[in-house]
Amino acid sequence: MGLLSVSRDIKLLRLSTPPPYDAVNIYIVKLGKSVCLVDAGPATDECYRQVEHALAEEGSRIGDIEAILLTHSHVDHAGLAGRLQEQSGCAVYVHPGDLQWVVDPVGKTAEKFGRLIDELGEPEVRGLVQSAFALNTRRLKAHFAHVEPTPLPVNSEKYGLHALEAPGHTPGSTVYLSGSRVGLCGDTLLDTQTLLIDNLHAYFGTLSKLGSLGVYSLWPGHGGVLEPAWKWVEAVRQKYLGRVETVKRIIKEPRTLFEVARSLYGESLVWDPNTVRAGLSYALLQTKTYLEYLVEDRLAEKKFRNGLTYYQSCGVV
Ligand SMILES: [Zn+2]
Ligand SMILES: [Zn+2]
């Protein structure tokens, strides 16, 4: 496991993580004698040791960590921050939009799943999502160390990095820019993995912003560097615009959230609670995001009938 050079002062450490997480990229920023980390990985002993080992390679120790900047609140990126904070006394910065998710990941996830379950009329689907939630909770409890975060001032410069708001994947997702050519983008853009989007309007806004910045290299939270960045931004935009069109077609006739998810994900919709992305709850959450996007734009309406919520597109399809 070596460190990869991002720039003169920034190194990438690829953490191997326990399933179901993908290997996570965290970034070590040299600040003279001390260091700052961008993201931390999940809170496992193995990840802690990998961070310790990587810092040693750089001639630093856990105690030299001055700050951790989080790209967002997901457990695979933020879970270990609290333990590193406990050991080093470092500040842990997170955008206000994700702050509560770091403080109370189980409670916030319960709210999110609660809204999803409320909408599902089909009892068998409800049951499956409830067990997915139970599994999720166990995972969060195991891999999220208690942390005392500091709200990240918006558009601030910290440790040579410029914090750019990039909502979409989560409400408080942040991209850290180093100079005019390099950005550390967390899960806002990934090379292969499918992304869970929390708010598609916000996400399209973020893509426009990233596309117009002129940044050449985006270094993500998983996988390899995205270069040239604009090409990736455009491909992702097209992908989601296409998804929205597909959903519009599916709801020409009134459909429930579950019916839309089944049409969208079809055969690939496997029920395996260990699968983060292909799982049923992932498909339902992502489908809900598309439907909310259409409802907000008045391209679809919600109807209630016999205890079920239906979506139907309106206007020209
Ligand atoms: Zn994420
Ligand atoms: Zn991630």
Side-chain angles (χ1 to χ4, degrees), residues 72-77 169-170 173 186-187 195-196 222:
H72 65 298
S73 56
H74 285 162
V75 58
D76 50 334
H77 304 264
H169 176 55
T170 64
S173 285
D187 285 357
L195 203 58
L196 190 57
H222 310 273

Side-chain angles (χ1 to χ4, degrees), residues 120-131:
L120 295 168
E122 300 89 339
E124 68 282 11
V125 188
R126 261 185 191 218
L128 289 173
V129 173
Q130 253 143 2
S131 43

Side-chain angles (χ1 to χ4, degrees), residues 46-206:
E46 181 51 29
C47 286
Y48 185 88
R49 273 194 293 274
Q50 290 174 61
V51 173
E52 201 170 32
H53 183 82
L55 289 178
E57 263 180 53
E58 292 295 290
S60 305
R61 295 170 311 150
I62 298 280
D64 296 327
I65 302 173
E66 198 171 315
I68 299 173
L69 305 174
L70 296 175
T71 60
H72 65 298
S73 56
H74 285 162
V75 58
D76 50 334
H77 304 264
L80 189 63
R83 188 164 161 197
L84 295 171
Q85 180 179 51
E86 196 187 86
Q87 296 300 314
S88 66
C90 70
V92 175
Y93 291 97
V94 60
H95 185 284
D98 270 23
L99 192 92
Q100 215 37 48
W101 285 89
V102 176
V103 173
D104 182 17
V106 172
K108 292 299 281 181
T109 307
E111 278 173 27
K112 192 175 175 122
F113 271 77
R115 283 194 295 273
L116 179 64
I117 290 165
D118 276 351
E119 187 171 332
L120 295 168
E122 300 89 339
E124 68 282 11
V125 188
R126 261 185 191 218
L128 289 173
V129 173
Q130 253 143 2
S131 43
F133 170 66
L135 185 88
N136 227 303
T137 302
R138 283 199 295 280
R139 214 173 262 155
L140 288 171
K141 284 184 175 158
H143 297 147
F144 223 119
H146 170 78
V147 62
E148 304 276 348
T150 305
L152 178 76
V154 170
N155 289 322
S156 57
E157 288 283 333
K158 289 235 166 271
Y159 311 105
L161 298 171
H162 179 84
L164 183 82
E165 291 185 290
H169 176 55
T170 64
S173 285
T174 303
V175 173
Y176 296 98
L177 301 173
S178 166
S180 59
R181 302 277 287 168
V182 172
L184 311 179
C185 67
D187 285 357
T188 291
L189 227 62
L190 299 174
D191 58 0
T192 51
Q193 292 96 333
T194 321
L195 203 58
L196 190 57
I197 307 287
D198 175 68
N199 181 314
L200 196 54
H201 277 112
Y203 190 63
F204 279 137
T206 291

